[in-house]
Amino acid sequence: MRPPAMPVERLRDAERTRTEILDVATAEFAERGYSGARVDEIADRTRTTKRMIYYYFGGKAQLYIAVLERAYAQLRDAEQTLDVEHLDPLAAIRELAELTFDHHERHPEFLRLVAIENIHRAEHIARSAVLTSINTRAVELIERILRRGQAQGVFRREVDPLDLHMLISAFCVFRVANQHTFKAIFGRNLGERSRRPHYRAMLADIVVAYLTTPPARPARARRTARVRADA
């Protein structure tokens, strides 16, 4: 016999509680790191108890993994809203770069979580099959754009989609994650609102220029070509 279904209102309450726990846990882990965060503190800041947090998630490590999974999913879901099939490849890759720029700027806690997980050598991400599946979508999206651009002759070099993902992410992460040290050393605030359009356009221009410029020949090949021309 199947167990009776949970009433709809109880399901909604459970989902609200889970969301509230994740919201508070995201802020706690981003601020204090995995080692410094305390489940007791998370419980105190929600309308639940430590016992209920363990009921929903199983433990501190599982809660932290759930926080990471949701943080990555939010970015990947945002990327999937791009209607890349109805945009020309140049417009599609620009929009993807700009969307990543916007998301990283709006969610600095995501970048702190990623930095923290790197300190722990991705030991928690490695335990989540969900995160591998989620993030595969980012590479598949770029791959679709690249295939169309190469087929149309717009993109003039063969590019590994994972390399392009790294290029876009590196710019966006550096601008947000390093803004305080950059300002202290060079006196420039990368997060200043008046500079935002410049950096956003700069990222998109870099990506487009990389894809539309033929790869340079190695120095040895250039020297050989000059020798042949002089012969």
Side-chain angles (χ1 to χ4, degrees):
M1 225 177 131
R2 293 171 62 185
M6 186 180 290
V8 173
E9 193 54 41
R10 282 187 61 191
L11 282 171
R12 287 175 181 160
D13 287 343
E15 189 56 37
R16 279 195 293 266
T17 300
R18 193 175 189 278
T19 299
E20 182 186 18
I21 293 169
L22 285 173
D23 288 343
V24 173
T26 296
E28 180 74 5
F29 285 123
E31 182 64 28
R32 302 181 186 277
Y34 176 75
S35 301
R38 296 287 179 266
V39 177
D40 287 323
E41 181 67 21
I42 295 169
D44 288 345
R45 293 170 58 191
T46 61
R47 293 170 295 177
T48 188
T49 63
K50 183 177 179 179
R51 180 172 169 271
M52 287 302 295
I53 291 175
Y54 278 80
Y55 170 78
Y56 279 107
F57 296 97
K60 179 180 176 181
Q62 294 94 322
L63 174 59
Y64 177 63
I65 290 170
V67 164
L68 288 171
E69 288 173 348
R70 189 178 72 155
Y72 274 101
Q74 287 170 342
L75 174 55
R76 302 287 87 98
D77 289 346
E79 291 167 347
Q80 296 302 312
T81 64
L82 290 178
D83 189 11
V84 297
E85 305 302 332
H86 294 89
L87 292 170
D88 71 75
L90 285 175
I93 204 65
R94 287 192 76 95
E95 286 209 14
L96 178 61
E98 291 166 353
L99 182 148
T100 306
F101 182 98
D102 295 342
H103 189 276
H104 283 32
E105 182 180 68
R106 286 196 301 266
H107 298 279
E109 74 285 353
F110 169 63
L111 302 185
R112 289 196 291 270
L113 289 169
V114 173
I116 290 161
E117 184 60 3
N118 272 287
I119 291 172
H120 291 276
R121 301 181 185 274
E123 65 176 272
H124 301 94
I125 283 180
R127 292 165 56 184
S128 171
V130 171
L131 281 166
T132 302
S133 173
I134 288 172
N135 288 296
T136 297
R137 292 187 293 161
V139 181
E140 290 172 346
L141 178 63
I142 293 174
E143 191 171 25
R144 295 207 314 270
I145 298 171
L146 290 177
R147 277 202 306 265
R148 289 177 56 233
Q150 287 157 359
Q152 295 177 22
V154 177
F155 299 154
R156 304 186 63 186
R157 65 168 77 212
E158 292 290 328
V159 175
D160 182 335
L162 196 55
D163 285 347
L164 192 59
H165 173 71
M166 178 184 67
L167 173 63
I168 294 170
S169 295
F171 187 102
C172 298
V173 170
F174 185 95
R175 176 177 169 268
V176 177
N178 291 21
Q179 61 181 302
H180 303 296
T181 51
F182 199 88
K183 182 180 179 182
I185 294 168
F186 298 109
R188 174 172 292 184
N189 181 3
L190 296 176
E192 188 176 307
R193 299 301 298 176
S194 63
R195 296 183 187 276
R196 184 181 185 278
H198 165 71
Y199 288 127
R200 193 171 186 265
M202 180 180 174
L203 168 63
D205 289 346
I206 289 169
V207 172
V208 167
Y210 176 66
L211 292 173
T212 56
T213 304
R217 288 182 298 174
R220 184 175 179 180
R222 292 198 299 270
R223 287 197 299 270
T224 302
R226 283 199 298 271
V227 168
R228 288 174 179 168
D230 294 340

